[in-house]
Amino acid sequence: MTDSTIAQPQADDKARNQWWDVWDQFKSHKGAMAGLIFLIFITLFCLLGPLLWSLDPGKLDIRNKDLRPVYVALWDGSAKTSWANPMGTDNLGRDIMANIMQGGRISLAVGWTAMVLAILIGTTIGVIAGYFRRLDGLLMRFTDLVLALPLLPLLLVMMLLFRDPLRAAFGPENGIFILIVAGIGITSWMQTARIVRGDVMALKEREFVLAARSIGTPSRRMITRHLLPNVLSPIMVSATLGLATAIITESALSFLGLGFPSDFPTWGKILFDNVDRMTRFPERVLFPGLAISLTVLSVNYIGDGLRDALDPRIRGQ
Amino acid sequence: MLTYTIRRLLLSIPTLLFIALVIFLLLELAPGDPMGQMPLTIPDDVKQRMREALGLGEPWYTRFGLWLYQFFVVEPQYWIDGAFGTNFAEGKQRIISFQSRSPVFDTISERIPQTLWVVGMSYIVGILIALPIGIYSAYRQYSVFDQAGTFITMIGFSIPPFFTGPLLIVIFAVQLGWLPSVYDTTHVVRDWDTFVTQFKQMILPVMVLALQTTAQIARYMRASMLDNLGQDYVRTARAKGLGESIVVMKHVLRNSMIPVVTVIALGIPSIFGGAIITEQVFKVNGIGQLLIIAIQGNDIPMVMTLTFLFAVLIVMFNIIADVLYGVLDPRIRYD
């Protein structure tokens, strides 16, 4: 009791990093906190799950095919269930929980890598366009052009065209992974580039940039030390949006049959494979569908919370 | 404003030409051969002549020029011929699909009504649901309705159509049996009963697409209303004794609609992209499904034409949105 009353003023007196303020504001957003917790949970579930649940997702077990999830036994005593496969098995006897874990690994990996790629391209183009006036017109016209392209059809075409060459070059799984990540990355950087360019152009007129320039800071250090840290918050917000769209796009490609080959499960692929049998086995569509939807929902909520937390006008109210 | 519109329209021509070139070159890299499915017993020289008959023997720039000529000159001529009974296009080669060996535009014009009907209807339904939600959410910010509305729009934002589609099919078509799961495009509306059938089969696809539209537009509407509700002119309107309904529904709503209208215009082409998935789920034979089939069958003229049509839609609606913005908001001047 006495300890805490003494410790309290000291903690406040200590110089606080601004990220602690951001975190405090972020914590007050309930949806964002719930989203963050769910995202951590699903990531751990997919990453560490296979260590605890050592069933091979591709192992066929025809004798135990078409098992229902264990909870079905609650209202339907005659259903085939087994605690060895708590989420049931598919029509070839593959364990659904192991598949969801493996599919989640791939889906999340695609989402994160594609998002990082899109943010890298977008930030680079945005900073260059905003900082170097001579390149601005050219780069922004290019951005407008890419925005005018019909992206989903082009993505589908790209999938079909480059699938076989990349598969031959990098092996079936890596080839498709590179293709999907590159496809999503190069079709979703435009919003980031526009936002970053606008912010950089506004920052360039500020006094601290003038001060830095007057002491002879070269352009490279100007960008990395003074401009990039100041445009970090819009980049982070568009990164969360990018993660959500990347996960949805990957699932949509898999759903249209143009994503990963059939022996590599992703959430979208599992959903697509089981749509035909969903009247008898609704759980096989429900589990991957819920996994996609809840992940995207939580990422969107995190984005909402981040936007509020990173805005100094809202923070501290 | 007129000069601005004309300038934008002129500027869109090089943009569209460049987009056409990008799509064409991308397709040029296609490893798939439209002759791949011919029997192996056909001699090589016959095969070569068949390739030339398909127009594949020429270098790419000749074929690109030909495609442009066919798209921008021959097809409109056919269209004019059909409409006015003239014969400008007599004997000229149209864009032919590799798969069906029939003119690409005939197939597209067969498919477009289904897409427009389902997609257009869902867009209108989505807007009609979104606007009241957005208005009321903003007017009663942080109320229970606002919280629920924000949550539901967030869900609509996050759940992909390829999950909501099958989910709704299982609930309403299979379990409850109220609605059909497949959209029957051969159905003709003749009397009341057939109208009811048509109405029923449209509910599910329209709902799936409308959920997405609603989510997006309701969020914009709410944000835009919130921006305006705090403005000085609102206080002035209230201070001079205007009723709440006039203040909100006339003063604030009109000003808040300006950005929302442009968002609605910008969203129209992207809805066609989203329809690709919805059409696949509900087996609607619209242009989205046509594109998928053409991509899978290496039907290059069809893919090229469809993708380019999507690009034209995007560019046109961008211009429409910008012009609308200027027309609606007198503060915006494009000179």
Side-chain angles (χ1 to χ4, degrees), chain A residues 144-267:
Chain A
D144 287 349
L145 264 180
V146 180
L147 270 175
L149 289 171
L151 293 176
L152 187 61
L154 277 187
L155 206 53
L156 295 176
V157 171
M158 273 158 65
M159 285 302 130
L160 197 79
L161 298 189
F162 302 112
R163 182 147 51 171
D164 294 330
L166 278 172
R167 210 187 267 179
F170 299 101
E173 195 178 6
N174 288 338
I176 298 290
F177 185 83
I178 292 170
L179 177 58
I180 290 184
V181 164
I184 298 175
I186 61 176
T187 50
S188 51
W189 52 269
M190 292 82 69
Q191 300 298 344
T192 318
R194 281 187 158 184
I195 296 168
V196 169
R197 168 192 174 255
D199 280 16
V200 167
M201 285 182 97
L203 281 173
K204 247 174 63 180
E205 308 300 322
R206 297 268 289 273
E207 286 83 0
F208 73 93
V209 175
L210 189 68
R213 183 172 296 146
S214 67
I215 58 170
T217 316
S219 295
R220 185 172 48 83
R221 200 163 314 135
M222 193 78 124
I223 289 172
T224 50
R225 282 296 297 273
H226 299 286
L227 294 179
L228 273 184
N230 279 302
V231 291
L232 200 60
S233 42
I235 292 178
M236 280 169 71
V237 173
S238 63
T240 53
L241 290 179
L243 178 60
T245 35
I247 293 176
I248 287 203
T249 313
E250 185 274 322
S251 309
L253 289 177
S254 296
F255 183 80
L256 293 173
L258 288 161
F260 281 87
S262 53
D263 32 348
F264 296 109
T266 71
W267 285 338

Side-chain angles (χ1 to χ4, degrees), chain B residues 3-185:
Chain B
T3 49
Y4 174 76
T5 315
I6 293 171
R7 203 175 70 220
R8 282 294 301 267
L9 281 174
L10 287 179
L11 268 177
S12 73
I13 296 173
T15 314
L16 283 174
L17 283 180
F18 185 79
I19 291 173
L21 185 67
V22 169
I23 303 171
F24 190 86
L25 289 182
L26 191 63
L27 287 172
E28 196 56 20
L29 297 168
D33 184 357
M35 303 295 293
Q37 273 145 23
M38 294 289 146
L40 289 170
T41 46
I42 298 176
D44 277 346
D45 57 323
V46 179
K47 247 186 193 168
Q48 190 56 37
R49 262 182 297 165
M50 284 168 79
R51 291 178 64 83
E52 274 160 25
L54 285 175
L56 288 173
E58 311 284 335
W60 68 266
Y61 44 84
T62 318
R63 274 180 290 135
F64 181 59
L66 268 177
W67 182 84
L68 283 181
Y69 176 72
Q70 288 173 337
F71 188 92
F72 286 108
V73 180
V74 180
E75 292 295 341
Q77 281 177 343
Y78 261 96
W79 197 68
I80 293 169
D81 287 357
F84 303 107
T86 51
N87 47 0
F88 289 119
E90 190 86 42
K92 284 181 185 161
Q93 179 63 49
R94 302 180 67 180
I95 305 174
I96 299 291
S97 154
F98 284 167
Q99 267 183 323
S100 60
R101 304 281 191 264
S102 61
V104 164
F105 272 89
D106 287 0
T107 322
I108 293 176
S109 58
E110 279 166 16
R111 300 297 190 101
I112 260 183
Q114 286 86 285
T115 300
L116 271 186
W117 196 223
V118 175
V119 171
M121 189 60 88
S122 64
Y123 208 58
I124 293 169
V125 170
I127 293 168
L128 287 182
I129 300 175
L131 294 186
I133 293 181
I135 295 169
Y136 197 73
S137 293
Y139 186 61
R140 294 246 177 272
Q141 198 189 2
Y142 302 131
S143 67
V144 178
F145 182 88
D146 181 32
Q147 305 274 4
T150 320
F151 181 66
I152 291 171
T153 50
M154 200 60 144
I155 289 181
F157 220 55
S158 307
I159 302 190
F162 51 83
F163 182 45
T164 38
L167 204 64
L168 290 183
I169 288 181
V170 160
I171 295 173
F172 291 104
V174 179
Q175 303 289 347
L176 298 173
W178 292 347
L179 305 164
S181 68
V182 175
Y183 186 92
D184 177 11
T185 39

